[in-house]
Amino acid sequence: MTILQLCNKPPYPPVDGGTMAMNSITQCLLKMGCKVKVLSAYSHKHPFLPNQFTEEYIKNTQLEGVYFNLKINPLRALFCLLAGESYHVNRFVNKEFEKKLIEILHEDNYDIVHLESLFLTPYVPVIRKHSKCKVVLRSHNVEHLIWERIAKSTKNVFKRWYIKKLAASLRQYELGNLNTYDGIACISNPNADFFRKAGCEKIIAVVPFGLGTPDFVESVEEEENSLFHIGSMDWAPNIEGIQWFLKNVWTKVHTRSPQAKLYLAGREMPLELLKSDYPNVKILGEIPDAMYFIASKQINIVPLLSGSGIRVKIIEAMSVGKTVITTTIGAEGINYTNKKNILIANTPDEFVNCIEQCLTNKKFCSEIGERAQELVSTEYNNNKIMSQLRKFYEQVLHKGK
């Protein structure tokens, strides 16, 4: 098969959950023997940097990129608001990207164009016009659900009203385009079920995120009484969750377990957090080696109050035997069992109690981590994901023949 993978940000190096999920697909396609071409958007937040890509990656993917100005444009946002259009999607309408896409489609005959995210949907008519290939969407999230959940937890009245408007226009666009594609590869079962119930008549498959366990993990010394969170802090649900945790949970944790330390890592760390002065909290920002950082800490805290899809960073932490404490929303899409391979906490007191239990009962904590690792090795290994992706592609290609 010949595959054109369109990405809404550079998929390499895999520095956050989104890029890891995209790169996982790329690597699966290459292992399947597919001919792969990657065309990616990039921006001020997600740039193309010198020496960012290995020679092998460029050779295997024929990578090209087009710059998108994704900075907030108040006039454009106002126009979308008045017109009832989704500003989230409108920001990804780019004439240079369209021009490059047409050029690529004319250079080769592609079997499938694989869209990494809803935000590349505006290019489906272009693809249809210039190619006979099949078009599939890789759905990382039900995008509008994220913003609906953020709106519910927003206290400022005007901001909540505006976010509701953003969520409503995004919902209309997302659900209105469900049958635009030839197939949708969802990252989780809840997402797939949602789209089916919303009226999608196309092929829907569940193709979760897959990964292998790094060889070096066993040699990394784990810090006692250490908690950590890692995630891109330019993603609204991460910022919301961590701010909530620090304000509502951490003081109680520190009072009951003064030996505990919390490490916060991730790119685009907000200035408000960098200037904060919570006891025993270390704000690290972007770190050079995410897996080494995860392996060196004990308990993964993921206090998500909004979001959708599947949290790749949770799967990553579980893969190296870390105990994860998260909300029901944070664990959404993962085939977990509470108190067996993950700990679910939805209130401040539940977080405090789970953390205290892990800190005071090392055997309990390690057993949760061990069973988490077993779950990931069974459900989220690359060979299984590759098999699911191959089956999905074959269904899409042969439908109607």
Side-chain angles (χ1 to χ4, degrees):
M1 287 182 280
T2 304
I3 312 296
L4 174 59
Q5 186 180 15
L6 303 185
C7 301
N8 63 323
K9 60 182 175 180
Y12 192 92
V15 294
D16 58 31
T19 56
M20 289 173 69
M22 288 189 280
N23 187 60
S24 174
I25 290 292
T26 308
Q27 299 308 317
C28 281
L29 291 173
L30 292 171
K31 288 179 181 178
M32 286 162 54
C34 297
K35 180 182 177 183
V36 180
K37 167 78 177 178
V38 176
L39 174 62
S40 176
Y42 68 93
S43 65
H44 66 292
K45 282 189 175 181
H46 303 281
F48 268 29
L49 299 175
N51 304 319
Q52 177 177 345
F53 310 102
T54 64
E55 289 184 10
E56 181 183 15
Y57 183 85
I58 294 174
K59 178 183 177 182
N60 289 338
T61 65
Q62 309 169 66
L63 175 69
E64 292 188 78
V66 175
Y67 177 75
F68 280 59
N69 182 1
L70 297 181
K71 294 179 181 179
I72 300 299
N73 183 324
L75 287 178
R76 194 171 184 178
L78 178 62
F79 170 81
C80 289
L81 180 64
L82 295 174
E85 296 182 7
S86 171
Y87 181 52
H88 289 96
V89 177
N90 187 273
R91 292 191 308 152
F92 282 88
V93 175
N94 183 306
K95 288 295 181 183
E96 289 302 313
F97 190 84
E98 179 179 330
K99 182 179 177 182
K100 173 56 68 174
L101 175 59
I102 292 171
E103 178 186 314
I104 290 171
L105 291 172
H106 286 174
E107 287 176 351
D108 208 340
N109 293 318
Y110 291 93
D111 296 301
I112 289 176
V113 175
H114 179 112
L115 310 180
E116 293 282 358
S117 96
L118 170 73
F119 305 119
L120 297 171
T121 300
Y123 300 99
V124 173
V126 178
I127 297 167
R128 299 292 192 202
K129 182 178 179 180
H130 295 275
S131 175
K132 295 181 179 180
C133 67
K134 300 291 186 177
V135 180
V136 303
L137 171 68
R138 168 64 158 174
S139 175
H140 295 239
N141 307 287
V142 180
E143 297 291 346
H144 73 270
L145 287 183
I146 296 174
W147 293 95
E148 287 179 354
R149 289 167 173 171
I150 290 174
K152 287 180 180 179
S153 61
T154 300
K155 294 181 180 179
N156 181 283
V157 175
F158 176 76
K159 188 176 181 181
R160 182 168 66 247
W161 173 83
Y162 181 62
I163 293 174
K164 280 184 177 180
K165 289 289 186 182
L166 287 176
S169 60
L170 186 57
R171 176 186 176 88
Q172 183 178 12
Y173 187 87
E174 187 165 24
L175 301 187
N177 281 281
L178 286 180
N179 292 303
T180 298
Y181 323 100
D182 296 298
I184 301 178
C186 294
I187 206 164
S188 70
N189 278 301
N191 285 16
D193 292 340
F194 184 92
F195 287 143
R196 290 189 187 101
K197 291 176 182 177
C200 183
E201 299 172 351
K202 302 297 182 177
I203 297 169
I204 296 181
V206 177
V207 183
F209 168 76
L211 77 174
T213 304
D215 295 331
F216 68 84
V217 167
E218 291 184 1
S219 63
V220 178
E221 185 176 353
E222 184 180 85
E223 181 181 347
E224 286 281 322
N225 304 311
S226 59
L227 293 79
F228 72 96
H229 177 275
I230 181 170
S232 293
M233 299 305 286
D234 57 355
W235 193 53
N238 279 340
I239 299 173
E240 175 192 40
I242 287 301
Q243 289 176 335
W244 175 86
F245 182 83
L246 290 172
K247 291 175 182 177
N248 298 283
V249 180
W250 184 248
T251 301
K252 295 179 181 179
V253 170
H254 180 67
T255 300
R256 290 166 62 169
S257 305
Q259 78 280 17
K261 291 183 180 180
L262 173 63
Y263 296 83
L264 302 179
R267 62 193 309 274
E268 302 291 338
M269 191 67 68
L271 187 61
E272 178 185 346
L273 287 180
L274 291 171
K275 289 184 174 181
S276 64
D277 189 27
Y278 291 95
N280 281 7
V281 176
K282 294 191 176 183
I283 314 291
L284 303 179
E286 189 167 7
I287 52 178
D289 191 330
M291 283 307 299
Y292 185 91
F293 169 75
I294 292 170
S296 69
K297 302 297 178 280
Q298 188 178 6
I299 303 164
N300 185 204
I301 302 297
V302 190
L304 281 178
L305 308 178
S306 58
S308 175
I310 194 170
R311 303 281 62 81
V312 170
K313 285 299 181 184
I314 290 181
I315 299 294
E316 193 175 26
M318 294 173 97
S319 76
V320 293
K322 298 301 166 181
T323 296
V324 176
I325 306 175
T326 187
T327 60
T328 302
I329 289 176
E332 197 172 70
I334 299 173
N335 188 23
Y336 69 88
T337 302
N338 186 25
K339 298 182 180 179
K340 178 182 178 182
N341 43 39
I342 200 169
L343 297 176
I344 301 298
N346 292 308
T347 68
D349 286 343
E350 287 175 355
F351 264 101
V352 172
N353 291 336
C354 285
I355 291 168
E356 185 176 37
Q357 185 176 13
C358 288
L359 293 175
T360 57
N361 189 337
K362 305 296 183 183
K363 184 174 184 293
F364 169 79
C365 186
S366 63
E367 286 177 351
I368 294 287
E370 288 169 7
R371 289 193 289 263
Q373 189 171 30
E374 291 171 5
L375 173 68
V376 172
S377 66
T378 302
E379 296 286 332
Y380 303 100
N381 68 76
N382 276 325
N383 289 334
K384 184 173 182 178
I385 305 308
M386 187 164 61
S387 174
Q388 291 168 309
L389 182 62
R390 180 187 289 112
K391 182 179 178 181
F392 168 65
Y393 274 0
E394 288 174 350
Q395 285 179 314
V396 170
L397 286 171
H398 292 100
K399 184 176 175 63
K401 286 189 177 181

